[in-house]
Amino acid sequence: MESYQLDNLIITLNKEGSREFSKVSFPIRYGLFSEIRTPEYLFQFNLNGEIKFIRGLPRTWPHPAEWLKRTVGNDWVYYSAGDYKGIYDYFGEYYFPYLSYPSNSIIDGDPFNDQSVILAKKSLQALRARIDELISGPKPKSLKEFLTRVIRNDEETLRRRADQLHHFIGGQVTVLPPDTRHVDYEVIPIIVADGCLYHCGFCRVKTGQDFTPRAPKDVMRQMKELKRFLGRDLHNYNAIFLGQHDALSAGREVLELAAERAYEIFEFERSHLRGAYLFLFGSVDSMIHSEEGLFESLSHFPFSTYINVGLESNDPKTLEALKKPVSVEKLREAFTRILDINRRYEKIEVTSNFVFGEDLPSGHLPSLLELTRNRLNLIGNKGGVYLSPLVDERMREKASKRELLRRFLKFKTGSRLPAFIYLIQRL
Ligand code: SF4
């Protein structure tokens, strides 16, 4: 770690954050990063000199322990502490990520309208201009290089970088699995299959494409391009997301190839972060039909693997209303296999998603309790259940949101599996 003072800027290079993702109720940073402290803000950058976090220091900032984060997809997210306890009960995390784009949140408030948050985002431009004034003259090489990168990474460059990322993988990741919260959504996305099997009527994240696996050659191409793209910041990652909506259907060959080669190509053994994580989505059909050998082999890779499966409902009327072309019998068969895999493989956790909303048939929530309570003898700490709010314009009313949160807590109390709300995040 090196520290320098340039006028009223305090610059620290290669600061070490935590080496392990953890759930804590105070601001935490991971891996290796550099920061610039001004009298008003704390700016933190990844090893490419791209802005990653901003926290306001003056009294006008909404909360001393809250911050803004910029994702690799160039979206801003505001991490709010809420009242800590409530947020943790709903999401399993101490911070609630307010998104700067439309999603399915049922938590009120929009910090992106807060003047101090608007100013914090704008302050980057002034910071770059200030550095530009101060950079000339003799300086240590590492400091000069870092400042040059910060100046170069202006809004336009960061936008182009996100476009480049999406170009490499063939489009935006419309939704990340809820389990990626365990690594603060810091995943390297690799697409092993496009589209999905069902084209459900209710779904807002589907790409509309028919399910098509990518060729192994394309998966390898993506990984090589992504490694070049991440550059110096590569070792700040230890997690991959195999997309898009049903990677589990892509089959054993491509999944094994992706898992095995990703670990080597992204040099996870040399990561600044401990452990390695693999995330993917599955479907009712892929859960039922995947050969046992695939899970066997995934469990032997050096990853903690999380598979998230969209089940949506255990009630035939709700499935019909959602226009999900899957029978309740098949769905129960998939759920039985989920329980079985969670029991058999220590390093694999399969979680499931169900919808959750105001206008669903009355049998929906009782049918979920039938699955997650009556069918199980013991309380489990694995195989979490995520409820994904179906929100529409009318849900802007605070009272409706409060009612949904109340219903969620009632469900959570009854479920024998851990239960959380699913906030849809893109990359
Ligand atoms: S819920 Fe899943 S399977 Fe259904 S349309 Fe959306 S992405 Fe496809």
PDB file of all heavy atoms in Angstrom, residues 318-336:
ATOM      1  N   THR A 318     -52.283 -21.070 -10.641  1.00  0.00           N
ATOM      2  CA  THR A 318     -51.296 -19.980 -10.739  1.00  0.00           C
ATOM      3  C   THR A 318     -50.380 -20.207 -11.945  1.00  0.00           C
ATOM      4  O   THR A 318     -50.087 -19.270 -12.685  1.00  0.00           O
ATOM      5  CB  THR A 318     -50.476 -19.869  -9.439  1.00  0.00           C
ATOM      6  OG1 THR A 318     -51.385 -19.786  -8.347  1.00  0.00           O
ATOM      7  CG2 THR A 318     -49.571 -18.655  -9.434  1.00  0.00           C
ATOM      8  N   LEU A 319     -49.961 -21.458 -12.140  1.00  0.00           N
ATOM      9  CA  LEU A 319     -49.103 -21.738 -13.298  1.00  0.00           C
ATOM     10  C   LEU A 319     -49.823 -21.358 -14.592  1.00  0.00           C
ATOM     11  O   LEU A 319     -49.225 -20.807 -15.516  1.00  0.00           O
ATOM     12  CB  LEU A 319     -48.706 -23.222 -13.331  1.00  0.00           C
ATOM     13  CG  LEU A 319     -47.706 -23.664 -12.249  1.00  0.00           C
ATOM     14  CD1 LEU A 319     -47.518 -25.172 -12.277  1.00  0.00           C
ATOM     15  CD2 LEU A 319     -46.359 -22.957 -12.442  1.00  0.00           C
ATOM     16  N   GLU A 320     -51.135 -21.645 -14.603  1.00  0.00           N
ATOM     17  CA  GLU A 320     -51.923 -21.305 -15.795  1.00  0.00           C
ATOM     18  C   GLU A 320     -51.992 -19.785 -15.962  1.00  0.00           C
ATOM     19  O   GLU A 320     -51.799 -19.256 -17.055  1.00  0.00           O
ATOM     20  CB  GLU A 320     -53.321 -21.887 -15.619  1.00  0.00           C
ATOM     21  CG  GLU A 320     -54.063 -22.069 -16.926  1.00  0.00           C
ATOM     22  CD  GLU A 320     -55.472 -22.566 -16.663  1.00  0.00           C
ATOM     23  OE1 GLU A 320     -55.641 -23.483 -15.819  1.00  0.00           O
ATOM     24  OE2 GLU A 320     -56.410 -22.004 -17.271  1.00  0.00           O
ATOM     25  N   ALA A 321     -52.262 -19.091 -14.848  1.00  0.00           N
ATOM     26  CA  ALA A 321     -52.357 -17.626 -14.912  1.00  0.00           C
ATOM     27  C   ALA A 321     -51.026 -17.003 -15.358  1.00  0.00           C
ATOM     28  O   ALA A 321     -51.005 -15.975 -16.028  1.00  0.00           O
ATOM     29  CB  ALA A 321     -52.754 -17.073 -13.545  1.00  0.00           C
ATOM     30  N   LEU A 322     -49.924 -17.634 -14.962  1.00  0.00           N
ATOM     31  CA  LEU A 322     -48.602 -17.105 -15.324  1.00  0.00           C
ATOM     32  C   LEU A 322     -48.203 -17.481 -16.752  1.00  0.00           C
ATOM     33  O   LEU A 322     -47.190 -17.029 -17.258  1.00  0.00           O
ATOM     34  CB  LEU A 322     -47.531 -17.678 -14.382  1.00  0.00           C
ATOM     35  CG  LEU A 322     -47.617 -17.308 -12.910  1.00  0.00           C
ATOM     36  CD1 LEU A 322     -46.631 -18.137 -12.099  1.00  0.00           C
ATOM     37  CD2 LEU A 322     -47.321 -15.817 -12.725  1.00  0.00           C
ATOM     38  N   LYS A 323     -49.025 -18.337 -17.348  1.00  0.00           N
ATOM     39  CA  LYS A 323     -48.706 -18.885 -18.685  1.00  0.00           C
ATOM     40  C   LYS A 323     -47.332 -19.557 -18.666  1.00  0.00           C
ATOM     41  O   LYS A 323     -46.484 -19.315 -19.529  1.00  0.00           O
ATOM     42  CB  LYS A 323     -48.768 -17.797 -19.760  1.00  0.00           C
ATOM     43  CG  LYS A 323     -50.145 -17.167 -19.934  1.00  0.00           C
ATOM     44  CD  LYS A 323     -50.233 -16.486 -21.291  1.00  0.00           C
ATOM     45  CE  LYS A 323     -51.593 -15.909 -21.566  1.00  0.00           C
ATOM     46  NZ  LYS A 323     -51.835 -14.588 -20.997  1.00  0.00           N
ATOM     47  N   LYS A 324     -47.132 -20.378 -17.652  1.00  0.00           N
ATOM     48  CA  LYS A 324     -45.902 -21.182 -17.588  1.00  0.00           C
ATOM     49  C   LYS A 324     -46.275 -22.597 -18.027  1.00  0.00           C
ATOM     50  O   LYS A 324     -47.019 -23.293 -17.336  1.00  0.00           O
ATOM     51  CB  LYS A 324     -45.332 -21.203 -16.170  1.00  0.00           C
ATOM     52  CG  LYS A 324     -44.011 -21.968 -16.133  1.00  0.00           C
ATOM     53  CD  LYS A 324     -43.194 -21.694 -14.909  1.00  0.00           C
ATOM     54  CE  LYS A 324     -41.873 -22.433 -14.989  1.00  0.00           C
ATOM     55  NZ  LYS A 324     -40.728 -21.590 -15.184  1.00  0.00           N
ATOM     56  N   PRO A 325     -45.763 -23.042 -19.177  1.00  0.00           N
ATOM     57  CA  PRO A 325     -46.212 -24.320 -19.738  1.00  0.00           C
ATOM     58  C   PRO A 325     -45.564 -25.546 -19.081  1.00  0.00           C
ATOM     59  O   PRO A 325     -44.888 -26.329 -19.743  1.00  0.00           O
ATOM     60  CB  PRO A 325     -45.820 -24.191 -21.212  1.00  0.00           C
ATOM     61  CG  PRO A 325     -44.626 -23.298 -21.200  1.00  0.00           C
ATOM     62  CD  PRO A 325     -44.770 -22.375 -20.030  1.00  0.00           C
ATOM     63  N   VAL A 326     -45.779 -25.680 -17.781  1.00  0.00           N
ATOM     64  CA  VAL A 326     -45.195 -26.802 -17.030  1.00  0.00           C
ATOM     65  C   VAL A 326     -46.266 -27.322 -16.088  1.00  0.00           C
ATOM     66  O   VAL A 326     -46.969 -26.527 -15.458  1.00  0.00           O
ATOM     67  CB  VAL A 326     -43.969 -26.293 -16.212  1.00  0.00           C
ATOM     68  CG1 VAL A 326     -43.532 -27.312 -15.208  1.00  0.00           C
ATOM     69  CG2 VAL A 326     -42.802 -25.944 -17.131  1.00  0.00           C
ATOM     70  N   SER A 327     -46.384 -28.651 -15.982  1.00  0.00           N
ATOM     71  CA  SER A 327     -47.413 -29.187 -15.082  1.00  0.00           C
ATOM     72  C   SER A 327     -46.911 -29.164 -13.637  1.00  0.00           C
ATOM     73  O   SER A 327     -45.694 -29.188 -13.385  1.00  0.00           O
ATOM     74  CB  SER A 327     -47.759 -30.626 -15.474  1.00  0.00           C
ATOM     75  OG  SER A 327     -46.671 -31.454 -15.139  1.00  0.00           O
ATOM     76  N   VAL A 328     -47.858 -29.139 -12.716  1.00  0.00           N
ATOM     77  CA  VAL A 328     -47.491 -29.097 -11.304  1.00  0.00           C
ATOM     78  C   VAL A 328     -46.805 -30.411 -10.889  1.00  0.00           C
ATOM     79  O   VAL A 328     -45.927 -30.428 -10.024  1.00  0.00           O
ATOM     80  CB  VAL A 328     -48.747 -28.745 -10.461  1.00  0.00           C
ATOM     81  CG1 VAL A 328     -49.640 -29.942 -10.227  1.00  0.00           C
ATOM     82  CG2 VAL A 328     -48.373 -28.076  -9.175  1.00  0.00           C
ATOM     83  N   GLU A 329     -47.147 -31.497 -11.582  1.00  0.00           N
ATOM     84  CA  GLU A 329     -46.519 -32.786 -11.256  1.00  0.00           C
ATOM     85  C   GLU A 329     -45.013 -32.735 -11.587  1.00  0.00           C
ATOM     86  O   GLU A 329     -44.181 -33.189 -10.799  1.00  0.00           O
ATOM     87  CB  GLU A 329     -47.169 -33.950 -12.041  1.00  0.00           C
ATOM     88  CG  GLU A 329     -48.583 -34.300 -11.626  1.00  0.00           C
ATOM     89  CD  GLU A 329     -49.616 -33.275 -12.081  1.00  0.00           C
ATOM     90  OE1 GLU A 329     -49.345 -32.553 -13.078  1.00  0.00           O
ATOM     91  OE2 GLU A 329     -50.686 -33.180 -11.437  1.00  0.00           O
ATOM     92  N   LYS A 330     -44.712 -32.171 -12.753  1.00  0.00           N
ATOM     93  CA  LYS A 330     -43.296 -32.078 -13.143  1.00  0.00           C
ATOM     94  C   LYS A 330     -42.538 -31.158 -12.186  1.00  0.00           C
ATOM     95  O   LYS A 330     -41.402 -31.417 -11.807  1.00  0.00           O
ATOM     96  CB  LYS A 330     -43.191 -31.495 -14.562  1.00  0.00           C
ATOM     97  CG  LYS A 330     -43.081 -32.574 -15.628  1.00  0.00           C
ATOM     98  CD  LYS A 330     -43.043 -31.958 -16.987  1.00  0.00           C
ATOM     99  CE  LYS A 330     -41.634 -31.885 -17.528  1.00  0.00           C
ATOM    100  NZ  LYS A 330     -41.607 -31.437 -18.924  1.00  0.00           N
ATOM    101  N   LEU A 331     -43.223 -30.081 -11.812  1.00  0.00           N
ATOM    102  CA  LEU A 331     -42.608 -29.123 -10.910  1.00  0.00           C
ATOM    103  C   LEU A 331     -42.262 -29.783  -9.561  1.00  0.00           C
ATOM    104  O   LEU A 331     -41.186 -29.585  -9.009  1.00  0.00           O
ATOM    105  CB  LEU A 331     -43.613 -27.995 -10.737  1.00  0.00           C
ATOM    106  CG  LEU A 331     -43.146 -26.758 -10.040  1.00  0.00           C
ATOM    107  CD1 LEU A 331     -43.665 -25.555 -10.767  1.00  0.00           C
ATOM    108  CD2 LEU A 331     -43.627 -26.778  -8.617  1.00  0.00           C
ATOM    109  N   ARG A 332     -43.167 -30.636  -9.083  1.00  0.00           N
ATOM    110  CA  ARG A 332     -42.896 -31.332  -7.806  1.00  0.00           C
ATOM    111  C   ARG A 332     -41.757 -32.329  -7.954  1.00  0.00           C
ATOM    112  O   ARG A 332     -40.962 -32.532  -7.042  1.00  0.00           O
ATOM    113  CB  ARG A 332     -44.170 -32.014  -7.303  1.00  0.00           C
ATOM    114  CG  ARG A 332     -45.177 -30.989  -6.808  1.00  0.00           C
ATOM    115  CD  ARG A 332     -46.506 -31.573  -6.455  1.00  0.00           C
ATOM    116  NE  ARG A 332     -47.468 -30.488  -6.274  1.00  0.00           N
ATOM    117  CZ  ARG A 332     -48.781 -30.643  -6.283  1.00  0.00           C
ATOM    118  NH1 ARG A 332     -49.313 -31.844  -6.472  1.00  0.00           N
ATOM    119  NH2 ARG A 332     -49.573 -29.610  -6.111  1.00  0.00           N
ATOM    120  N   GLU A 333     -41.699 -32.941  -9.147  1.00  0.00           N
ATOM    121  CA  GLU A 333     -40.592 -33.874  -9.397  1.00  0.00           C
ATOM    122  C   GLU A 333     -39.261 -33.112  -9.360  1.00  0.00           C
ATOM    123  O   GLU A 333     -38.282 -33.589  -8.770  1.00  0.00           O
ATOM    124  CB  GLU A 333     -40.815 -34.502 -10.783  1.00  0.00           C
ATOM    125  CG  GLU A 333     -39.947 -35.714 -11.038  1.00  0.00           C
ATOM    126  CD  GLU A 333     -40.140 -36.266 -12.457  1.00  0.00           C
ATOM    127  OE1 GLU A 333     -41.202 -36.013 -13.086  1.00  0.00           O
ATOM    128  OE2 GLU A 333     -39.216 -36.936 -12.943  1.00  0.00           O
ATOM    129  N   ALA A 334     -39.243 -31.928  -9.970  1.00  0.00           N
ATOM    130  CA  ALA A 334     -38.016 -31.099  -9.960  1.00  0.00           C
ATOM    131  C   ALA A 334     -37.667 -30.699  -8.523  1.00  0.00           C
ATOM    132  O   ALA A 334     -36.506 -30.750  -8.126  1.00  0.00           O
ATOM    133  CB  ALA A 334     -38.214 -29.857 -10.818  1.00  0.00           C
ATOM    134  N   PHE A 335     -38.674 -30.354  -7.730  1.00  0.00           N
ATOM    135  CA  PHE A 335     -38.426 -29.932  -6.348  1.00  0.00           C
ATOM    136  C   PHE A 335     -37.842 -31.093  -5.535  1.00  0.00           C
ATOM    137  O   PHE A 335     -36.929 -30.903  -4.725  1.00  0.00           O
ATOM    138  CB  PHE A 335     -39.722 -29.414  -5.717  1.00  0.00           C
ATOM    139  CG  PHE A 335     -39.506 -28.762  -4.392  1.00  0.00           C
ATOM    140  CD1 PHE A 335     -38.931 -27.502  -4.306  1.00  0.00           C
ATOM    141  CD2 PHE A 335     -39.869 -29.406  -3.205  1.00  0.00           C
ATOM    142  CE1 PHE A 335     -38.715 -26.888  -3.075  1.00  0.00           C
ATOM    143  CE2 PHE A 335     -39.656 -28.799  -1.972  1.00  0.00           C
ATOM    144  CZ  PHE A 335     -39.083 -27.536  -1.907  1.00  0.00           C
ATOM    145  N   THR A 336     -38.348 -32.294  -5.784  1.00  0.00           N
ATOM    146  CA  THR A 336     -37.826 -33.474  -5.070  1.00  0.00           C
ATOM    147  C   THR A 336     -36.354 -33.667  -5.417  1.00  0.00           C
ATOM    148  O   THR A 336     -35.526 -33.964  -4.559  1.00  0.00           O
ATOM    149  CB  THR A 336     -38.648 -34.735  -5.460  1.00  0.00           C
ATOM    150  OG1 THR A 336     -40.007 -34.458  -5.157  1.00  0.00           O
ATOM    151  CG2 THR A 336     -38.191 -35.975  -4.731  1.00  0.00           C
TER     152      THR A 336
END
